[in-house]
Amino acid sequence: MADKIEHSEPKDPDTTLGADPSLLIVDDDGPFLRRLARAMESRGFAVDVAESVAEGIAKSRARPPKYAVVDLRLGDGNGLDVIEAIRKGREDTRVIVLTGYGNIATAVTAVKLGAVDYLSKPADADDIYAALTQRPGEKADVPENPMSADRVRWEHIQRVYEMCERNVSETARRLNMHRRTLQRILAKRAPK
C-alpha cells in the first residue's frame, strides 16, 4: 500500500505545540516513517522514531513523549501495546493511531487506551499535524479526499482476511463470497 506524505509549506512552529514538542513516531514502514519524521520536524516537532513495538515501548519508557503517532499493526505486535506503555509514563500524551486496516473495534480500543484520533493510511502530514494539535472539543474537518466505497470494501476484506490468519477459504466463507472472486480481489492493488 502506498502511503502518501505530502510536503506542503511547513507550519509556523509557534506556541501551538507548547513547551514540549517531543513526538514519537512508531511505524514499521521505513520509507513512510522517514518521510513523516521529516515532515513533522519541519512543523516544529522534536521527533524520535521507532520501527517496532519493542523499540516503541523502550523509547516511551526512556523519554515519554508529549505527542505520539503509532501504527496499529507492526511487525512484532500491536501498536496498542505501545500506547499502553506511553500512558504509563505520561498521562497527557496526545496519541494518534495510524493504520491501513481501519475498523471500529480497534478504533474504540485505541480511544479507550487514550488515543485522541484514529487516521487511516494513507494519511498526509497536514492531517496528522491537525489531529495532533487539535484543541479539546474541536471537531475534525471532513477529509478533502475521503476513502471511496471501493476502498472501504477493500479495507473490510483485508481486515477479515487478517482475522482469518490469511486463510482464503475461511475468509470467503465468512464474507459469503466465492473463493475465486476473493482471490482476484486479494491479487489486485488497493483502490484509491
Side-chain angles (χ1 to χ4, degrees):
M1 176 184 321
D3 296 319
K4 101 180 172 187
I5 292 292
E6 294 177 3
H7 291 286
S8 59
E9 283 300 309
K11 303 290 184 211
D12 193 16
D14 58 352
T15 58
T16 307
L17 300 180
D20 182 3
S22 61
L23 168 65
L24 175 63
I25 304 173
V26 184
D27 198 306
D28 59 357
D29 179 348
F32 173 78
L33 178 65
R34 287 185 290 281
R35 285 191 312 269
L36 181 57
R38 281 192 308 271
M40 292 297 108
E41 283 174 347
S42 74
R43 287 164 171 78
F45 287 98
V47 179
D48 195 4
V49 297
E51 293 193 49
S52 66
V53 171
E55 188 180 1
I57 290 172
K59 288 189 175 190
S60 65
R61 285 182 181 156
R63 184 170 177 248
K66 172 66 177 166
Y67 301 92
V69 177
V70 180
D71 189 8
L72 188 64
R73 187 170 275 167
L74 297 160
D76 65 337
N78 193 320
L80 296 176
D81 296 333
V82 177
I83 296 171
E84 279 185 296
I86 290 169
R87 284 288 174 221
K88 287 180 184 172
R90 187 168 183 170
E91 288 288 319
D92 67 336
T93 300
R94 293 187 56 83
V95 180
I96 305 300
V97 174
L98 286 182
T99 186
Y101 303 94
N103 69 66
I104 300 300
T106 51
V108 169
T109 304
V111 169
K112 283 181 180 176
L113 288 172
V116 295
D117 209 341
Y118 188 92
L119 300 174
S120 293
K121 287 182 177 179
D124 69 26
D126 289 334
D127 291 339
I128 295 168
Y129 179 84
L132 286 169
T133 59
Q134 184 176 325
R135 300 281 177 239
E138 279 184 347
K139 298 256 188 232
D141 292 334
V142 175
E144 204 172 293
N145 297 317
M147 281 195 287
S148 67
D150 289 337
R151 178 60 186 244
V152 172
R153 177 179 178 256
W154 185 87
E155 293 282 350
H156 176 68
I157 290 169
Q158 291 295 319
R159 182 177 57 84
V160 174
Y161 182 55
E162 291 297 323
M163 285 173 33
C164 294
E165 297 177 357
R166 298 179 166 258
N167 181 316
V168 174
S169 297
E170 179 62 18
T171 304
R173 186 187 67 73
R174 288 188 185 192
L175 292 172
N176 197 24
M177 181 183 287
H178 194 277
R179 187 173 180 275
R180 286 188 186 143
T181 303
L182 176 61
Q183 285 176 314
R184 281 193 298 274
I185 292 169
L186 293 172
K188 293 181 182 176
R189 288 187 169 273
K192 300 256 180 210

